[in-house]
Amino acid sequence: MAADDRPTLGIGMVGYAFMGRVHSQAWRSVSAFFDLPYRPVMAAVGGRSEEATAAAARDLGWAAAETDWRELIARDDVQVVDICTPGDSHAEIAIAALEAGKHVICEKPLANTVAEAEAMTEAAERAASRGVYAMVAFNYRRVPAIALARQWIAEGRLGRLHHVRAQYLQDWIADPDFPLVWRLQRDKAGSGALGDIGAHIIDTAQFITGQHLTGVSALTETFVTRRPLAEASAGLSGGSRTAETGTVDVDDAALFTARFSGGAVGVFEATRFATGRKNALRIEVNGSAGSLAFDFEAMNELWFHDHTLPAAEAGFRRVIVTEPDHPYAAAWWPPGHGLGYEHTFTHEVKDFVEAIAAGAAPSPSFADGLRVQRVLAAVEASAADSSRFTTVEES
Amino acid sequence: MAADDRPTLGIGMVGYAFMGRVHSQAWRSVSAFFDLPYRPVMAAVGGRSEEATAAAARDLGWAAAETDWRELIARDDVQVVDICTPGDSHAEIAIAALEAGKHVICEKPLANTVAEAEAMTEAAERAASRGVYAMVAFNYRRVPAIALARQWIAEGRLGRLHHVRAQYLQDWIADPDFPLVWRLQRDKAGSGALGDIGAHIIDTAQFITGQHLTGVSALTETFVTRRPLAEASAGLSGGSRTAETGTVDVDDAALFTARFSGGAVGVFEATRFATGRKNALRIEVNGSAGSLAFDFEAMNELWFHDHTLPAAEAGFRRVIVTEPDHPYAAAWWPPGHGLGYEHTFTHEVKDFVEAIAAGAAPSPSFADGLRVQRVLAAVEASAADSSRFTTVEES
Amino acid sequence: MAADDRPTLGIGMVGYAFMGRVHSQAWRSVSAFFDLPYRPVMAAVGGRSEEATAAAARDLGWAAAETDWRELIARDDVQVVDICTPGDSHAEIAIAALEAGKHVICEKPLANTVAEAEAMTEAAERAASRGVYAMVAFNYRRVPAIALARQWIAEGRLGRLHHVRAQYLQDWIADPDFPLVWRLQRDKAGSGALGDIGAHIIDTAQFITGQHLTGVSALTETFVTRRPLAEASAGLSGGSRTAETGTVDVDDAALFTARFSGGAVGVFEATRFATGRKNALRIEVNGSAGSLAFDFEAMNELWFHDHTLPAAEAGFRRVIVTEPDHPYAAAWWPPGHGLGYEHTFTHEVKDFVEAIAAGAAPSPSFADGLRVQRVLAAVEASAADSSRFTTVEES
Amino acid sequence: MAADDRPTLGIGMVGYAFMGRVHSQAWRSVSAFFDLPYRPVMAAVGGRSEEATAAAARDLGWAAAETDWRELIARDDVQVVDICTPGDSHAEIAIAALEAGKHVICEKPLANTVAEAEAMTEAAERAASRGVYAMVAFNYRRVPAIALARQWIAEGRLGRLHHVRAQYLQDWIADPDFPLVWRLQRDKAGSGALGDIGAHIIDTAQFITGQHLTGVSALTETFVTRRPLAEASAGLSGGSRTAETGTVDVDDAALFTARFSGGAVGVFEATRFATGRKNALRIEVNGSAGSLAFDFEAMNELWFHDHTLPAAEAGFRRVIVTEPDHPYAAAWWPPGHGLGYEHTFTHEVKDFVEAIAAGAAPSPSFADGLRVQRVLAAVEASAADSSRFTTVEES
């Protein structure tokens, strides 16, 4: 564990809703489990409402509250800006922070448009040359089972990869009376299921295969096109709803087939209408030497089929990813005493702090976020063009 | 159980490989479990080799052997022709049999081309007007769990259907040294994974949803383009291989998104490269009021999520489909004493014989087989046209 | 497959209820899948009611019907007597058949008392010296997954065995209004859950471990002590019930801990009150080098944990027991095309016929059945003596 | 969330190994998720080594370190003493703390002997009369799925309870070279698997059924009787071992059958030799109206069979226990974003603080801990007396 005399690293977080709460828990807990080169200090949280931001600071453990994110960035006791706002404000905040010499960790999707993501990536690259680093918060990379999957694929255990099948299934808007929250509005969220959860399976697929998507053929659908308007601040639970209705201008579901740079083919599906599936981020990869399968609803398990075994002995094996030799696991509890959702964020900030200390670019970079953004754009372009196969733009 | 004085129904089967073996077991067993209006008699089996056909007759329990399928059709003791040959001979045999006034049950896919399937469907319709019936053998409709799924969806238990995700995953040609058996040759098999196993999930999806596919956007891939030539008579196991190689001219995998006539969207995947998946015919349907999920590798189970329950009580429920009230199940064993693959065929011939006796068209009809054939054609057309969304031709 | 000129083996079956139906299917099917040295002929079925026995003969495919089992035994065309009656008649029929020089296959439990089982075992041993063989029908030994478990343990893959946990869970008498069928009467059935299903897990545990139980400490319970009287011929489904009630004088549930000859300890539980569990014959064995787990409700799967692998790679592996190298599997369908309950009987009669032809004692022998009977007796003795640890009597 | 002006509650924790680490995380996090009437302050941690205790204070977030637990108790800024030491010191510390007017939360098992547990319970009852409260830390009661199970059983959803089957399976000492850590020494740990993990399933079974065990019949076993001596401070991982060996004088496994106060019967098994099972705390309860099943290795799931449904619709239902209406769940993340092991402790301290504030006895009380201790004693007595059924002593 870390000594008392290690330097501090002041964190300033913008946004304190769902993502802000879980990032706060990560910053609060990380030092007790990982021996970090810096001691993170929860310096300030930023929000628009003075009262609500002050309450958030108190409840989530931030030393100060700011109602202007520019002032938060400017604080001397802030060296890291953690962006937990909706996608429409990511670019402005992130670029300002990087230009001010502050390291940035930014929630996904990186931005609402490719153009914004490009500007952010350029800013990140300029900053990196000055030793200021940026990371996009694809937290699922830090699920131990997913990190293990990447490791095993990189070691060649699956041989030549043939298939990826990835799904992100939720059901929280299946009720047509669920209100028109910001995640259902294009100007706030950029897209619907596609950007919110499709982005995660795109990143996860690229991460664990070590291949990128080269093209897609997509179909999107909006099942419920008008919904009650929500109260202004409604979160994921929808809050109370009004009698008026508004138009849903994002996708309820996005389905696409894809080709990967290494020759694999893939099927992707993101929806919030899969009744009974709560947070089923699933991915299976089939290679010539074996297969891997994962479902976040059982996040401590990775299923591995070793196809090099005699057929009579082979089968999908349930590896409980809590052994000391598994990624991140030695920091926690004995085998079988599983982790939960929040720990992916603890791992994320741990890796981020270590990268900063090492003077190395953290991963996933803004360029990785841009790559996902370009896939999202290709999906939307294909869906708008009769599902025609659409090449993902390269840098 | 049936009385002795019920009329006989003479069966003549063409082909005695994998499908012929399982059809034989169905004919041999069906009367002991179901009280049929006719007593099926295993009159004759047909094949090309005199010796091998005689051996098949003896081992599989057929009273006679014929080396010319035309003579088998012509036999007075044959009222039903059961076609278990590769797809390239289906049309010729089926049309001849129907024209000779013999009922026909024909393995799937109905034919290797839409044109053949159309000719067969026309022949079936002409025959039906004379009380001679035809059925295409999509056996998976007779898995009790799949029949139950259809019943529950028809009753409205899933509400409005939003999603279908269907996979048929096998792995028996993942080894690049597996030889070029007839199922990998376009002139024999019509297509690869698409027609062999993709046809099953297309039919199953249409069957259980009661909707048909209106259009598809597809991507196909052949991972291994040259393989060793097989010995002439190699079956599924591949047999011994030769030093020469030949070209694989069918798909190894077919992936497609789809739209359904009732508004649902679907994702389909058929492959024989999913290492570790042996016969994973899987389908999940999500509706506004609930969801159903099935995997043939656990064929006695149907998973049902009732979304009308309070959220705190809901979840996918593992229904073991062996209760007396379940489709076909009362004929067999007590609850929990499961059925296997072969019983889908026993159910199939039972339904077929009952339809003939009732003077009703059996289901699935050749028209249903044609409908699947048109989806297959649309998939191939889309795949050849940059995955562009392609409308499935209507009758 | 077998040639026409192989000798026939005439079968005479006594009893045609649940067990008789499934034995009939086994005799009817076995020759089509296994190349047997004899050709089994379904010569005659025996029962008490002339009409019902004739109907059973017709429906199940037996050439003749007999209303006196002594006449059935005496028939010249009967070389094998297959006993499918309740346990109270096993001893008399089996001993008579063996003395008449007929091979015997007898349903389990071997008898209702140890004394009967001893007499049967002695008769079997006398007969064996004359080349006449006897087998007790513990069909679950012929589940491919269970046969594979035995093989792997015999090969040493689990190392030193520490734990056996076995359960046989059903729920068909959980309803207190379910009637007093013969299986709930001590004079017919010998005991309740203990002999009916507990016998199966005792035999299975001894079979797969290669060890026998040396002593037990038991607790039995009858939850519902009075039940409506059933109609005379009620089977498993209970049939219609009368207004009168009678006393349940057998156990509803039997629970016991045990020690094995090789040092393992075990926990056993047999009940027909486990609501939601239909036919959950489960067994898990933990050894120093690995573990195996099985549940009949997913009978085509065997779960194997290889503890010699590095911990980070290990986990329970779902082996689908349908590969050509798996016990019995090569005779059937391609991998993943599962088997059902009935096939355990097909395998049973196949092994029985082969043993007869080889002049070798079939397994499990009547001595094996006696061994199980002695465990049942020890369980009852312990339960009657404050659960005191009770040694299983040795031969 | 809580206001700033709520009173503080100073916590002093004794012991900082595995349990101390997870208790620390609970105290550190609880206020951010639950609106507590007091604000817990991590005042001081106690240990024997000055250096190690100071390091623990720094790493785990305690404001001060004490090397004498008496001084820790005496601190003015400590109102709660949290006991995370081995069982041999529980009684002394807990009684001293309660007498000093400090609330106590004490790890399980409550003590190493019934006599100690009785003394502790008396001290707790005396203290309660002065408004000073004590709780035993059976954390698994705070798994949301287990809390939900209790709630549903209390509501009568399972009807009359017939069966409990509980297992706690681990495998961390299956290797005979694993060293003789304190948990394998009777003077430190009281017993082996029995007290360490058996205690959890006893408490869990009593908690969710609302019934207590009235008697047991037990069998215990020590598979490995000599082990290498461990380094002094070895924890769960065993640390380095020495060349000398010592005697294992506790059980490696404890198996017992039981009767419950409400008429159910149970089977219990606790072992650390179940290779492949890492932390499988499992419990299934079967009642006349339904069943529940749980496995900690999938801790966010509760399986529920509703036996009042028509048989054709019924089956075990996988309820993901993350809905807002589920116990504790509203404080955390959206549905499907699961919790981990540590959150059971967060819930525990939340309930403890709320009870203190309400002036109500927290649950489980020391009397509950004593009840478990008496079951442990009955298990050992039965095992020592030929497994004879042994009544659990009542208060």
Side-chain angles (χ1 to χ4, degrees):
Chain A
M1 290 289 161
D4 268 332
D5 53 357
R6 63 195 162 129
T8 62
L9 185 72
I11 317 297
M13 184 176 79
V14 195
Y16 48 78
F18 173 25
M19 278 302 111
R21 287 180 68 224
V22 68
H23 281 234
S24 298
Q25 173 71 346
W27 290 118
R28 184 188 304 120
S29 306
V30 65
S31 295
F33 297 96
F34 295 96
D35 185 10
L36 295 182
Y38 292 118
R39 183 161 60 84
V41 174
M42 295 169 73
V45 62
R48 278 172 298 194
S49 149
E50 184 165 345
E51 189 182 3
T53 309
R58 186 188 60 221
D59 296 337
L60 301 179
W62 297 90
E66 297 281 356
T67 55
D68 180 343
W69 57 261
R70 294 179 194 279
E71 291 181 19
L72 183 128
I73 287 175
R75 288 175 68 107
D76 284 345
D77 62 352
V78 165
Q79 284 88 46
V80 167
V81 175
D82 181 351
I83 304 175
C84 293
T85 56
D88 59 338
S89 57
H90 287 183
E92 190 178 16
I93 302 174
I95 293 171
L98 289 167
E99 289 182 350
K102 307 298 170 91
H103 307 290
V104 170
I105 176 168
C106 180
E107 260 307 314
K108 49 51 61 187
L110 187 58
N112 279 2
T113 65
V114 167
E116 285 172 339
E118 286 172 341
M120 292 169 78
T121 302
E122 284 162 21
E125 284 164 4
R126 281 193 306 273
S129 67
R130 289 176 282 120
V132 174
Y133 295 108
M135 182 185 190
V136 59
F138 282 113
N139 65 298
Y140 289 106
R141 290 190 177 201
R142 268 76 186 193
V143 174
I146 288 180
L148 183 63
R150 173 185 169 87
Q151 177 184 317
W152 282 356
I153 290 175
E155 290 169 9
R157 292 191 182 209
L158 264 52
R160 177 183 166 189
L161 305 188
H162 292 128
H163 286 289
V164 175
R165 68 190 60 84
Q167 299 154 9
Y168 202 144
L169 309 178
Q170 299 181 336
D171 72 357
W172 56 282
I173 61 170
D175 178 355
D177 289 332
F178 186 89
L180 194 64
V181 296
W182 71 260
R183 286 175 190 267
L184 304 183
Q185 300 170 30
R186 175 167 296 273
D187 57 349
K188 300 285 195 321
S191 65
L194 178 60
D196 182 21
I197 55 180
H200 276 303
I201 46 176
I202 293 166
D203 184 68
T204 300
Q206 297 189 139
F207 175 66
I208 74 171
T209 62
Q211 299 183 15
H212 56 273
L213 277 75
T214 57
V216 296
S217 164
L219 182 158
T220 59
E221 180 66 21
T222 304
F223 297 113
V224 176
T225 52
R226 291 197 69 79
R227 290 182 178 272
L229 295 184
E231 297 296 325
S233 61
L236 279 180
S237 66
S240 55
R241 50 205 69 169
T242 70
E244 283 180 279
T245 64
T247 297
V248 177
D249 55 0
V250 296
D251 58 285
D252 282 339
L255 292 57
F256 54 100
T257 56
R259 291 189 180 277
F260 284 78
S261 54
V265 293
V267 176
F268 292 77
E269 188 178 9
T271 180
R272 299 181 290 206
F273 275 72
T275 40
R277 303 301 181 192
K278 299 304 173 183
N279 200 43
L281 185 164
R282 298 172 176 175
I283 188 162
E284 177 167 332
V285 182
N286 306 126
S288 59
S291 292
L292 287 170
F294 173 81
D295 182 345
F296 188 80
E297 288 185 355
M299 71 167 275
N300 291 292
E301 301 172 12
L302 181 65
W303 291 80
F304 172 46
H305 167 72
D306 181 350
H307 202 62
T308 65
L309 289 173
E313 300 178 23
F316 275 83
R317 184 190 304 172
R318 179 191 184 226
V319 179
I320 303 181
V321 191
T322 52
E323 296 294 319
D325 290 343
H326 287 144
Y328 306 108
W332 300 99
W333 320 115
H337 296 68
L339 298 183
Y341 172 68
E342 71 176 58
H343 301 96
T344 61
F345 294 87
T346 315
H347 302 160
E348 185 169 82
V349 301
K350 173 254 184 189
D351 286 342
F352 181 57
V353 171
E354 288 181 346
I356 290 172
S363 170
S365 65
F366 277 17
D368 292 322
L370 170 58
R371 189 186 292 277
V372 171
Q373 207 72 37
R374 284 177 170 151
V375 176
L376 300 178
V379 167
E380 294 204 306
S382 172
D385 186 22
S386 299
S387 305
R388 188 197 297 263
F389 187 80
T390 301
T391 300
V392 176
E393 191 187 347
E394 287 297 313
S395 303
Chain B
M1 288 293 162
D4 269 331
D5 54 359
R6 63 194 162 126
T8 61
L9 185 73
I11 316 298
M13 184 176 79
V14 195
Y16 48 78
F18 173 26
M19 279 301 110
R21 288 181 67 224
V22 68
H23 281 235
S24 298
Q25 172 73 346
W27 290 117
R28 183 189 304 119
S29 307
V30 65
S31 295
F33 297 95
F34 296 96
D35 186 10
L36 294 181
Y38 293 118
R39 184 161 59 85
V41 174
M42 296 169 72
V45 60
R48 277 172 297 194
S49 150
E50 185 164 344
E51 188 181 5
T53 309
R58 185 189 64 221
D59 295 337
L60 302 178
W62 296 90
E66 295 282 357
T67 55
D68 182 343
W69 59 261
R70 295 179 192 278
E71 291 182 19
L72 181 129
I73 288 175
R75 288 175 68 108
D76 284 345
D77 61 354
V78 165
Q79 285 87 44
V80 166
V81 176
D82 181 352
I83 305 174
C84 293
T85 55
D88 60 336
S89 58
H90 287 183
E92 189 177 19
I93 301 172
I95 293 170
L98 290 168
E99 289 180 350
K102 307 300 171 90
H103 307 289
V104 170
I105 177 168
C106 180
E107 260 307 316
K108 49 55 53 185
L110 187 58
N112 279 1
T113 66
V114 169
E116 287 173 338
E118 284 173 341
M120 293 169 77
T121 301
E122 284 162 22
E125 283 165 6
R126 283 194 305 273
S129 66
R130 290 176 282 120
V132 173
Y133 296 107
M135 182 185 192
V136 60
F138 282 113
N139 66 299
Y140 289 105
R141 290 190 178 202
R142 269 74 186 195
V143 174
I146 287 180
L148 182 63
R150 173 184 170 86
Q151 178 185 315
W152 282 356
I153 288 174
E155 291 169 11
R157 294 191 181 210
L158 263 54
R160 175 182 167 192
L161 304 188
H162 292 128
H163 286 287
V164 175
R165 65 190 63 82
Q167 299 154 8
Y168 203 145
L169 309 179
Q170 298 181 335
D171 72 356
W172 54 282
I173 60 170
D175 178 356
D177 289 333
F178 188 89
L180 194 64
V181 296
W182 71 261
R183 284 175 192 266
L184 303 184
Q185 300 171 29
R186 176 166 294 273
D187 59 348
K188 300 284 196 320
S191 64
L194 179 61
D196 181 20
I197 55 179
H200 276 302
I201 46 175
I202 293 166
D203 184 68
T204 300
Q206 297 189 140
F207 175 66
I208 73 170
T209 62
Q211 298 183 17
H212 56 272
L213 276 74
T214 56
V216 297
S217 165
L219 182 159
T220 59
E221 179 67 22
T222 304
F223 297 113
V224 176
T225 52
R226 290 197 72 80
R227 289 181 177 276
L229 295 183
E231 298 295 325
S233 61
L236 278 181
S237 64
S240 54
R241 48 205 70 166
T242 68
E244 283 180 280
T245 64
T247 298
V248 177
D249 56 1
V250 296
D251 57 285
D252 282 338
L255 292 56
F256 54 101
T257 57
R259 291 189 179 277
F260 285 79
S261 54
V265 294
V267 176
F268 292 77
E269 188 178 7
T271 180
R272 300 182 288 210
F273 275 72
T275 39
R277 305 301 181 192
K278 299 302 173 184
N279 199 43
L281 186 163
R282 297 173 176 176
I283 187 161
E284 177 167 332
V285 183
N286 306 124
S288 58
S291 293
L292 288 170
F294 173 80
D295 182 345
F296 188 80
E297 288 185 354
M299 70 167 277
N300 291 291
E301 302 172 15
L302 181 65
W303 292 80
F304 173 44
H305 167 71
D306 181 350
H307 203 61
T308 66
L309 290 173
E313 300 179 21
F316 275 83
R317 184 191 304 173
R318 178 191 183 227
V319 180
I320 303 182
V321 192
T322 53
E323 296 294 319
D325 290 343
H326 285 144
Y328 307 107
W332 300 99
W333 321 113
H337 297 67
L339 299 182
Y341 172 70
E342 72 176 60
H343 300 96
T344 62
F345 294 87
T346 315
H347 302 161
E348 184 169 82
V349 302
K350 172 254 184 190
D351 286 342
F352 181 58
V353 170
E354 288 182 347
I356 290 171
S363 172
S365 66
F366 276 16
D368 292 322
L370 171 58
R371 188 186 293 277
V372 171
Q373 208 72 38
R374 284 176 170 151
V375 177
L376 300 177
V379 167
E380 294 204 306
S382 172
D385 186 22
S386 299
S387 305
R388 189 197 296 263
F389 188 81
T390 301
T391 301
V392 175
E393 192 186 347
E394 286 299 311
S395 305
Chain C
M1 288 292 160
D4 268 332
D5 53 359
R6 61 196 163 127
T8 61
L9 185 72
I11 317 297
M13 184 176 80
V14 194
Y16 48 76
F18 172 27
M19 277 303 110
R21 289 181 67 225
V22 68
H23 281 233
S24 299
Q25 173 71 347
W27 290 118
R28 185 188 303 118
S29 307
V30 64
S31 296
F33 297 96
F34 295 96
D35 186 10
L36 295 181
Y38 291 118
R39 183 161 60 84
V41 174
M42 295 168 72
V45 62
R48 276 172 297 194
S49 150
E50 183 164 350
E51 188 181 5
T53 308
R58 185 189 63 221
D59 296 338
L60 302 179
W62 297 91
E66 296 282 357
T67 55
D68 181 341
W69 58 260
R70 296 180 191 278
E71 291 182 21
L72 182 129
I73 288 175
R75 288 175 67 107
D76 285 344
D77 62 353
V78 165
Q79 286 87 46
V80 167
V81 175
D82 181 351
I83 304 173
C84 294
T85 55
D88 59 337
S89 57
H90 287 182
E92 189 177 20
I93 302 173
I95 293 169
L98 289 167
E99 289 180 350
K102 308 299 171 90
H103 307 289
V104 170
I105 176 168
C106 180
E107 260 307 315
K108 49 56 58 187
L110 187 56
N112 280 2
T113 65
V114 168
E116 287 173 338
E118 285 172 341
M120 293 169 78
T121 301
E122 286 162 21
E125 283 165 5
R126 284 193 304 274
S129 67
R130 291 175 282 120
V132 175
Y133 296 108
M135 181 184 191
V136 60
F138 282 113
N139 66 299
Y140 290 106
R141 291 192 178 201
R142 270 75 185 192
V143 175
I146 287 179
L148 183 63
R150 173 183 168 88
Q151 178 184 315
W152 282 356
I153 289 175
E155 290 169 10
R157 293 191 182 211
L158 263 54
R160 176 183 166 190
L161 304 189
H162 293 128
H163 286 287
V164 174
R165 69 190 60 84
Q167 300 154 8
Y168 203 145
L169 310 177
Q170 298 181 335
D171 71 357
W172 56 282
I173 61 169
D175 178 356
D177 289 333
F178 187 90
L180 194 64
V181 296
W182 71 261
R183 285 176 192 266
L184 304 184
Q185 300 169 29
R186 176 167 295 273
D187 59 348
K188 301 283 196 322
S191 65
L194 178 62
D196 182 19
I197 55 179
H200 276 304
I201 46 175
I202 293 166
D203 184 68
T204 301
Q206 296 188 141
F207 175 66
I208 74 170
T209 62
Q211 299 183 17
H212 56 274
L213 276 73
T214 57
V216 297
S217 164
L219 182 159
T220 60
E221 179 67 21
T222 305
F223 297 113
V224 176
T225 52
R226 289 197 72 80
R227 290 180 177 275
L229 295 182
E231 298 295 325
S233 62
L236 279 181
S237 67
S240 54
R241 50 204 71 166
T242 69
E244 283 180 280
T245 63
T247 297
V248 178
D249 56 1
V250 297
D251 57 287
D252 283 339
L255 292 57
F256 53 102
T257 56
R259 291 190 179 276
F260 285 78
S261 53
V265 293
V267 177
F268 292 77
E269 187 179 9
T271 180
R272 300 180 288 206
F273 275 72
T275 40
R277 304 301 179 191
K278 300 304 172 182
N279 199 45
L281 185 164
R282 297 172 178 176
I283 188 162
E284 177 167 333
V285 182
N286 305 125
S288 58
S291 292
L292 287 170
F294 173 80
D295 182 346
F296 188 80
E297 288 185 355
M299 70 168 274
N300 291 290
E301 301 171 13
L302 180 65
W303 292 81
F304 172 45
H305 167 71
D306 181 350
H307 202 63
T308 65
L309 290 173
E313 299 179 22
F316 274 83
R317 184 191 303 172
R318 179 192 183 225
V319 179
I320 304 180
V321 191
T322 53
E323 296 294 319
D325 290 343
H326 286 144
Y328 306 108
W332 299 100
W333 320 114
H337 296 69
L339 298 183
Y341 171 70
E342 72 176 59
H343 300 96
T344 60
F345 294 87
T346 315
H347 302 161
E348 184 169 82
V349 302
K350 171 253 181 190
D351 286 342
F352 181 58
V353 171
E354 288 181 348
I356 292 171
S363 171
S365 66
F366 276 15
D368 292 322
L370 170 59
R371 187 185 293 277
V372 171
Q373 208 71 37
R374 286 178 169 151
V375 177
L376 300 178
V379 167
E380 293 203 308
S382 171
D385 186 22
S386 299
S387 304
R388 189 197 297 261
F389 187 80
T390 301
T391 301
V392 176
E393 191 187 347
E394 286 298 311
S395 304
Chain D
M1 287 291 159
D4 268 331
D5 53 359
R6 62 195 162 129
T8 60
L9 185 72
I11 316 299
M13 185 176 80
V14 194
Y16 48 77
F18 172 26
M19 279 302 111
R21 288 182 67 224
V22 68
H23 281 234
S24 298
Q25 172 73 346
W27 290 117
R28 184 189 303 119
S29 305
V30 65
S31 295
F33 296 97
F34 296 96
D35 186 7
L36 295 180
Y38 293 119
R39 183 162 59 83
V41 173
M42 296 169 73
V45 60
R48 277 173 296 195
S49 148
E50 184 166 346
E51 188 182 4
T53 309
R58 185 188 63 221
D59 296 337
L60 302 178
W62 297 90
E66 296 281 357
T67 54
D68 181 342
W69 57 261
R70 296 179 192 278
E71 290 181 22
L72 181 128
I73 288 175
R75 287 175 68 108
D76 285 343
D77 62 353
V78 165
Q79 285 87 44
V80 167
V81 175
D82 182 351
I83 304 174
C84 294
T85 55
D88 59 338
S89 57
H90 286 184
E92 188 177 20
I93 302 173
I95 293 170
L98 289 167
E99 290 181 349
K102 307 298 169 94
H103 307 290
V104 169
I105 176 167
C106 180
E107 260 307 314
K108 46 56 57 185
L110 187 58
N112 279 3
T113 66
V114 168
E116 286 172 337
E118 285 172 341
M120 293 169 78
T121 302
E122 285 161 24
E125 284 164 6
R126 282 193 305 272
S129 66
R130 291 175 280 122
V132 174
Y133 295 108
M135 182 184 191
V136 60
F138 282 113
N139 65 300
Y140 289 106
R141 291 190 178 203
R142 269 74 187 195
V143 174
I146 287 179
L148 183 64
R150 172 184 171 87
Q151 178 184 316
W152 283 357
I153 288 175
E155 290 169 9
R157 294 193 180 206
L158 263 54
R160 175 182 167 191
L161 304 188
H162 292 127
H163 285 288
V164 175
R165 67 190 61 83
Q167 299 154 10
Y168 203 144
L169 310 177
Q170 298 181 336
D171 71 357
W172 55 282
I173 60 169
D175 178 357
D177 289 333
F178 187 89
L180 193 64
V181 295
W182 71 261
R183 286 174 191 267
L184 303 184
Q185 301 171 29
R186 177 167 293 273
D187 58 348
K188 300 286 196 322
S191 65
L194 178 60
D196 182 20
I197 56 179
H200 275 304
I201 47 175
I202 293 166
D203 183 69
T204 301
Q206 297 189 139
F207 175 66
I208 75 170
T209 62
Q211 298 183 17
H212 57 272
L213 276 75
T214 56
V216 296
S217 164
L219 182 159
T220 58
E221 178 67 21
T222 304
F223 297 114
V224 175
T225 51
R226 290 196 71 80
R227 290 181 178 275
L229 296 183
E231 297 295 325
S233 60
L236 280 179
S237 65
S240 54
R241 51 205 68 168
T242 68
E244 285 179 276
T245 64
T247 297
V248 178
D249 55 3
V250 296
D251 57 287
D252 282 338
L255 292 56
F256 55 100
T257 57
R259 292 190 179 276
F260 284 78
S261 54
V265 293
V267 176
F268 292 77
E269 187 179 8
T271 180
R272 301 182 286 208
F273 275 72
T275 40
R277 305 301 180 191
K278 298 303 172 182
N279 199 44
L281 185 163
R282 298 172 176 175
I283 187 161
E284 177 166 332
V285 182
N286 306 125
S288 59
S291 292
L292 288 170
F294 172 80
D295 182 345
F296 189 81
E297 289 185 354
M299 69 167 275
N300 291 290
E301 302 172 13
L302 181 65
W303 291 80
F304 173 45
H305 166 71
D306 181 351
H307 203 62
T308 66
L309 289 173
E313 300 178 23
F316 276 83
R317 184 191 303 171
R318 178 192 183 227
V319 180
I320 304 181
V321 191
T322 52
E323 295 295 318
D325 290 343
H326 286 143
Y328 307 106
W332 300 100
W333 320 115
H337 297 67
L339 298 183
Y341 171 69
E342 72 175 58
H343 300 96
T344 62
F345 293 88
T346 315
H347 302 160
E348 183 170 82
V349 301
K350 173 252 182 192
D351 287 343
F352 181 56
V353 170
E354 288 181 346
I356 290 172
S363 172
S365 66
F366 276 16
D368 291 323
L370 171 59
R371 189 186 292 280
V372 171
Q373 207 72 37
R374 284 177 170 152
V375 177
L376 300 178
V379 166
E380 294 204 308
S382 171
D385 186 22
S386 299
S387 305
R388 189 196 295 261
F389 187 80
T390 301
T391 301
V392 175
E393 190 186 348
E394 285 299 310
S395 304

